[in-house]
Structures are given as C-alpha cells and as structure tokens.
Amino acid sequence: MAGPIDLSDLHAALDRLRPQLCHCGLKGECLGCKGIEMVRAQAEAVAAAASQPILIQVAQESAMKDMASRFEAMSERLMSDPEIRRSAEQMQERLMADPETRQLLEELMRRLGGGNPPPEELN
C-alpha cells in the first residue's frame, strides 16, 4: 500500500487561484469559490480512495461512480444557464493560464491514470 498522499501543493495552488475567481469577497458564496471547494473535495476523495487497500477500493468504486454521475448531472444543469456557462469558461481559462496550476493538474491526472495532458482545446 502506498503512503499518505501529499496534496499540499494542490491545495496551495487552489488557494492562490480562488481570489482570482472570487466575486463574493471570499465568503464562499459565488461560483468561483464553490468551484474551488468542489475541486478540492474531489481531489481529496480520489486521493483517499486511491490510498486504500484494493478490497476497500473495490467497495468504494460504486460510491465514486455515483458521485461522478451526480457531479455530471449538476454540471449539465449549471451549464444550461448561459451566465454560469460563461463564468465556468472564464474560470477554466484562468485555471489553464496559470502554468503552475496547469502543471499540478497535469500531474494529478497522470497520478489518476489519465496519462495524457489536457486536450489542446483547453489552452
């Protein structure tokens, strides 16, 4: 079994990104703040699940699939709103424009088995 996973670099990058996306004075009420916290929670859930013994991983797989389907459904509902869609696109542009954050996300994707860098359309 692997040792504990250090997400401190990812948390630091998210903390640096949050003020750039925030529209509520860091109160946690806007899409930028909520999006950062959602990414943080998902990264922690994935890291926690990946560090468990294989039998526990198998048991948690269905919970992760459920969380992913709920996230997808929520994303679809949010993206149907043009204003939220524009905000999400701006957040994605800012996120991918920061070289350090982009590098951390690419490393996270490699660790999660994605292997490939984000598609060029995200540049």
Side-chain angles (χ1 to χ4, degrees):
M1 178 168 69
I5 298 173
D6 180 11
L7 296 177
S8 59
D9 289 340
L10 177 62
H11 288 299
L14 291 172
D15 289 342
R16 285 190 307 276
L17 184 62
R18 186 175 177 173
Q20 297 175 42
L21 302 174
C22 178
H23 299 285
C24 68
L26 300 175
K27 295 177 186 172
E29 299 169 353
C30 69
L31 182 63
C33 288
K34 289 179 182 180
I36 291 295
E37 291 310 311
M38 187 182 326
V39 170
R40 185 185 314 270
Q42 287 181 330
E44 289 173 356
V46 168
S51 66
Q52 298 296 319
I54 189 68
L55 293 177
I56 294 175
Q57 285 185 27
V58 171
Q60 292 175 335
E61 185 176 334
S62 65
M64 293 298 287
K65 286 181 181 179
D66 180 56
M67 182 178 79
S69 65
R70 288 180 184 197
F71 178 72
E72 184 178 339
M74 181 192 68
S75 296
E76 288 174 6
R77 283 193 306 274
L78 288 173
M79 290 300 109
S80 66
D81 182 323
E83 185 176 331
I84 292 175
R85 184 180 205 58
R86 278 190 301 277
S87 294
E89 288 169 354
Q90 289 173 349
M91 183 172 80
Q92 178 181 340
E93 288 171 9
R94 288 180 184 167
L95 181 67
M96 299 313 285
D98 179 24
E100 186 176 349
T101 302
R102 183 181 178 97
Q103 180 183 7
L104 288 169
L105 287 173
E106 289 173 356
E107 176 64 24
L108 179 62
M109 293 306 292
R110 278 192 294 275
R111 288 185 183 187
L112 295 176
N116 299 326
E120 290 302 315
E121 65 192 40
L122 296 177
N123 286 335

mmCIF file of all heavy atoms in Angstrom, residues 4 12 15 20 25 28 39 41 47 49-50 52 58-60 75 78 83 90 99-100 103 107 111 113:
data_model
loop_
_atom_site.group_PDB
_atom_site.id
_atom_site.type_symbol
_atom_site.label_atom_id
_atom_site.label_comp_id
_atom_site.label_asym_id
_atom_site.label_seq_id
_atom_site.Cartn_x
_atom_site.Cartn_y
_atom_site.Cartn_z
ATOM 1 N N PRO A 4 0.806 7.991 2.623
ATOM 2 C CA PRO A 4 -0.154 9.092 2.504
ATOM 3 C C PRO A 4 0.185 9.972 1.294
ATOM 4 O O PRO A 4 1.340 10.158 0.955
ATOM 5 C CB PRO A 4 -0.009 9.865 3.802
ATOM 6 C CG PRO A 4 1.069 9.210 4.585
ATOM 7 C CD PRO A 4 1.551 8.014 3.846
ATOM 8 N N ALA A 12 -2.432 24.507 -2.121
ATOM 9 C CA ALA A 12 -1.821 25.833 -2.221
ATOM 10 C C ALA A 12 -2.178 26.485 -3.559
ATOM 11 O O ALA A 12 -2.489 27.680 -3.609
ATOM 12 C CB ALA A 12 -0.304 25.734 -2.065
ATOM 13 N N ASP A 15 -5.734 27.602 -3.400
ATOM 14 C CA ASP A 15 -5.833 28.790 -2.549
ATOM 15 C C ASP A 15 -5.373 30.041 -3.292
ATOM 16 O O ASP A 15 -5.935 31.123 -3.109
ATOM 17 C CB ASP A 15 -5.009 28.612 -1.268
ATOM 18 C CG ASP A 15 -5.622 27.596 -0.318
ATOM 19 O OD1 ASP A 15 -6.827 27.282 -0.473
ATOM 20 O OD2 ASP A 15 -4.889 27.107 0.563
ATOM 21 N N GLN A 20 -8.616 34.936 -7.566
ATOM 22 C CA GLN A 20 -8.728 35.347 -8.965
ATOM 23 C C GLN A 20 -10.118 35.062 -9.516
ATOM 24 O O GLN A 20 -10.575 35.729 -10.435
ATOM 25 C CB GLN A 20 -7.696 34.620 -9.820
ATOM 26 C CG GLN A 20 -6.257 34.937 -9.442
ATOM 27 C CD GLN A 20 -5.292 34.087 -10.251
ATOM 28 O OE1 GLN A 20 -5.466 33.884 -11.438
ATOM 29 N NE2 GLN A 20 -4.263 33.589 -9.571
ATOM 30 N N GLY A 25 -16.055 38.230 -2.336
ATOM 31 C CA GLY A 25 -15.194 38.643 -1.225
ATOM 32 C C GLY A 25 -14.742 37.478 -0.370
ATOM 33 O O GLY A 25 -14.611 37.605 0.844
ATOM 34 N N GLY A 28 -17.355 32.433 0.066
ATOM 35 C CA GLY A 28 -17.733 31.072 -0.311
ATOM 36 C C GLY A 28 -19.105 30.978 -0.952
ATOM 37 O O GLY A 28 -19.679 29.897 -1.021
ATOM 38 N N VAL A 39 -13.556 21.189 -6.433
ATOM 39 C CA VAL A 39 -12.328 20.563 -6.942
ATOM 40 C C VAL A 39 -11.494 20.033 -5.784
ATOM 41 O O VAL A 39 -10.970 18.914 -5.831
ATOM 42 C CB VAL A 39 -11.514 21.561 -7.801
ATOM 43 C CG1 VAL A 39 -10.133 21.018 -8.124
ATOM 44 C CG2 VAL A 39 -12.275 21.886 -9.076
ATOM 45 N N ALA A 41 -12.539 19.060 -2.776
ATOM 46 C CA ALA A 41 -13.190 17.888 -2.193
ATOM 47 C C ALA A 41 -13.017 16.665 -3.081
ATOM 48 O O ALA A 41 -12.781 15.548 -2.592
ATOM 49 C CB ALA A 41 -14.671 18.179 -1.954
ATOM 50 N N ALA A 47 -7.826 10.948 -3.772
ATOM 51 C CA ALA A 47 -6.579 10.588 -3.085
ATOM 52 C C ALA A 47 -6.852 9.607 -1.949
ATOM 53 O O ALA A 47 -6.119 8.630 -1.758
ATOM 54 C CB ALA A 47 -5.881 11.837 -2.559
ATOM 55 N N ALA A 49 -9.399 7.496 -1.661
ATOM 56 C CA ALA A 49 -9.794 6.202 -2.217
ATOM 57 C C ALA A 49 -8.598 5.468 -2.811
ATOM 58 O O ALA A 49 -8.447 4.253 -2.640
ATOM 59 C CB ALA A 49 -10.875 6.397 -3.283
ATOM 60 N N ALA A 50 -7.733 6.205 -3.490
ATOM 61 C CA ALA A 50 -6.579 5.575 -4.137
ATOM 62 C C ALA A 50 -5.563 5.049 -3.136
ATOM 63 O O ALA A 50 -4.789 4.142 -3.451
ATOM 64 C CB ALA A 50 -5.904 6.582 -5.069
ATOM 65 N N GLN A 52 -6.285 3.482 -0.332
ATOM 66 C CA GLN A 52 -6.850 2.372 0.433
ATOM 67 C C GLN A 52 -6.424 1.021 -0.164
ATOM 68 O O GLN A 52 -6.104 0.928 -1.344
ATOM 69 C CB GLN A 52 -8.379 2.448 0.430
ATOM 70 C CG GLN A 52 -8.917 3.693 1.076
ATOM 71 C CD GLN A 52 -8.590 3.767 2.551
ATOM 72 O OE1 GLN A 52 -8.668 2.779 3.269
ATOM 73 N NE2 GLN A 52 -8.209 4.942 3.004
ATOM 74 N N VAL A 58 -12.346 -1.427 -4.235
ATOM 75 C CA VAL A 58 -13.441 -2.045 -4.990
ATOM 76 C C VAL A 58 -14.778 -1.649 -4.371
ATOM 77 O O VAL A 58 -15.726 -1.299 -5.079
ATOM 78 C CB VAL A 58 -13.276 -3.582 -5.032
ATOM 79 C CG1 VAL A 58 -14.507 -4.247 -5.610
ATOM 80 C CG2 VAL A 58 -12.039 -3.944 -5.851
ATOM 81 N N ALA A 59 -14.853 -1.676 -3.041
ATOM 82 C CA ALA A 59 -16.092 -1.301 -2.363
ATOM 83 C C ALA A 59 -16.440 0.169 -2.590
ATOM 84 O O ALA A 59 -17.615 0.532 -2.672
ATOM 85 C CB ALA A 59 -15.977 -1.591 -0.869
ATOM 86 N N GLN A 60 -15.426 1.024 -2.698
ATOM 87 C CA GLN A 60 -15.665 2.461 -2.867
ATOM 88 C C GLN A 60 -15.910 2.858 -4.317
ATOM 89 O O GLN A 60 -16.377 3.965 -4.591
ATOM 90 C CB GLN A 60 -14.476 3.253 -2.329
ATOM 91 C CG GLN A 60 -14.343 3.161 -0.829
ATOM 92 C CD GLN A 60 -13.083 3.848 -0.330
ATOM 93 O OE1 GLN A 60 -12.115 3.994 -1.047
ATOM 94 N NE2 GLN A 60 -13.109 4.254 0.928
ATOM 95 N N SER A 75 -23.412 19.490 -13.269
ATOM 96 C CA SER A 75 -22.713 20.286 -14.276
ATOM 97 C C SER A 75 -23.614 20.585 -15.462
ATOM 98 O O SER A 75 -23.626 21.711 -15.975
ATOM 99 C CB SER A 75 -21.461 19.555 -14.755
ATOM 100 O OG SER A 75 -20.555 19.404 -13.712
ATOM 101 N N LEU A 78 -26.056 23.245 -14.440
ATOM 102 C CA LEU A 78 -25.404 24.546 -14.339
ATOM 103 C C LEU A 78 -25.051 25.101 -15.719
ATOM 104 O O LEU A 78 -25.204 26.289 -15.978
ATOM 105 C CB LEU A 78 -24.141 24.450 -13.479
ATOM 106 C CG LEU A 78 -24.358 24.258 -11.991
ATOM 107 C CD1 LEU A 78 -23.035 23.999 -11.294
ATOM 108 C CD2 LEU A 78 -25.062 25.449 -11.377
ATOM 109 N N GLU A 83 -25.172 32.434 -18.221
ATOM 110 C CA GLU A 83 -24.287 33.235 -17.378
ATOM 111 C C GLU A 83 -23.308 32.340 -16.616
ATOM 112 O O GLU A 83 -22.109 32.636 -16.532
ATOM 113 C CB GLU A 83 -25.103 34.068 -16.392
ATOM 114 C CG GLU A 83 -24.261 35.013 -15.578
ATOM 115 C CD GLU A 83 -25.099 35.906 -14.684
ATOM 116 O OE1 GLU A 83 -26.253 36.204 -15.033
ATOM 117 O OE2 GLU A 83 -24.584 36.305 -13.639
ATOM 118 N N GLN A 90 -14.658 31.207 -18.202
ATOM 119 C CA GLN A 90 -13.639 32.149 -17.731
ATOM 120 C C GLN A 90 -12.773 31.503 -16.648
ATOM 121 O O GLN A 90 -11.551 31.678 -16.631
ATOM 122 C CB GLN A 90 -14.289 33.415 -17.190
ATOM 123 C CG GLN A 90 -14.901 34.281 -18.259
ATOM 124 C CD GLN A 90 -15.698 35.445 -17.678
ATOM 125 O OE1 GLN A 90 -15.968 35.505 -16.489
ATOM 126 N NE2 GLN A 90 -16.096 36.369 -18.547
ATOM 127 N N PRO A 99 0.616 28.614 -15.300
ATOM 128 C CA PRO A 99 1.476 27.459 -15.593
ATOM 129 C C PRO A 99 1.642 26.507 -14.401
ATOM 130 O O PRO A 99 1.633 25.293 -14.579
ATOM 131 C CB PRO A 99 2.821 28.080 -15.979
ATOM 132 C CG PRO A 99 2.536 29.506 -16.279
ATOM 133 C CD PRO A 99 1.303 29.881 -15.534
ATOM 134 N N GLU A 100 1.761 27.045 -13.197
ATOM 135 C CA GLU A 100 1.963 26.179 -12.038
ATOM 136 C C GLU A 100 0.715 25.347 -11.743
ATOM 137 O O GLU A 100 0.807 24.147 -11.481
ATOM 138 C CB GLU A 100 2.316 27.023 -10.807
ATOM 139 C CG GLU A 100 2.686 26.182 -9.602
ATOM 140 C CD GLU A 100 3.135 27.033 -8.422
ATOM 141 O OE1 GLU A 100 3.365 28.244 -8.580
ATOM 142 O OE2 GLU A 100 3.254 26.454 -7.346
ATOM 143 N N GLN A 103 0.385 22.678 -14.391
ATOM 144 C CA GLN A 103 1.331 21.589 -14.148
ATOM 145 C C GLN A 103 0.823 20.671 -13.032
ATOM 146 O O GLN A 103 0.908 19.444 -13.153
ATOM 147 C CB GLN A 103 2.695 22.168 -13.778
ATOM 148 C CG GLN A 103 3.748 21.107 -13.498
ATOM 149 C CD GLN A 103 5.075 21.729 -13.060
ATOM 150 O OE1 GLN A 103 5.173 22.934 -12.846
ATOM 151 N NE2 GLN A 103 6.076 20.897 -12.922
ATOM 152 N N GLU A 107 -0.131 16.734 -13.423
ATOM 153 C CA GLU A 107 0.469 15.720 -12.552
ATOM 154 C C GLU A 107 -0.616 14.903 -11.855
ATOM 155 O O GLU A 107 -0.518 13.679 -11.758
ATOM 156 C CB GLU A 107 1.387 16.373 -11.511
ATOM 157 C CG GLU A 107 1.973 15.409 -10.512
ATOM 158 C CD GLU A 107 2.907 14.378 -11.128
ATOM 159 O OE1 GLU A 107 3.471 14.622 -12.214
ATOM 160 O OE2 GLU A 107 3.064 13.306 -10.510
ATOM 161 N N ARG A 111 -1.257 10.880 -12.156
ATOM 162 C CA ARG A 111 -1.361 10.003 -10.985
ATOM 163 C C ARG A 111 -2.676 9.246 -10.951
ATOM 164 O O ARG A 111 -2.750 8.134 -10.454
ATOM 165 C CB ARG A 111 -1.207 10.808 -9.701
ATOM 166 C CG ARG A 111 0.198 11.273 -9.460
ATOM 167 C CD ARG A 111 0.306 11.957 -8.134
ATOM 168 N NE ARG A 111 1.649 12.468 -7.922
ATOM 169 C CZ ARG A 111 2.061 12.999 -6.804
ATOM 170 N NH1 ARG A 111 1.240 13.109 -5.782
ATOM 171 N NH2 ARG A 111 3.287 13.432 -6.686
ATOM 172 N N GLY A 113 -4.131 8.199 -13.507
ATOM 173 C CA GLY A 113 -4.154 7.253 -14.621
ATOM 174 C C GLY A 113 -4.576 7.859 -15.935
ATOM 175 O O GLY A 113 -4.735 7.151 -16.915
#
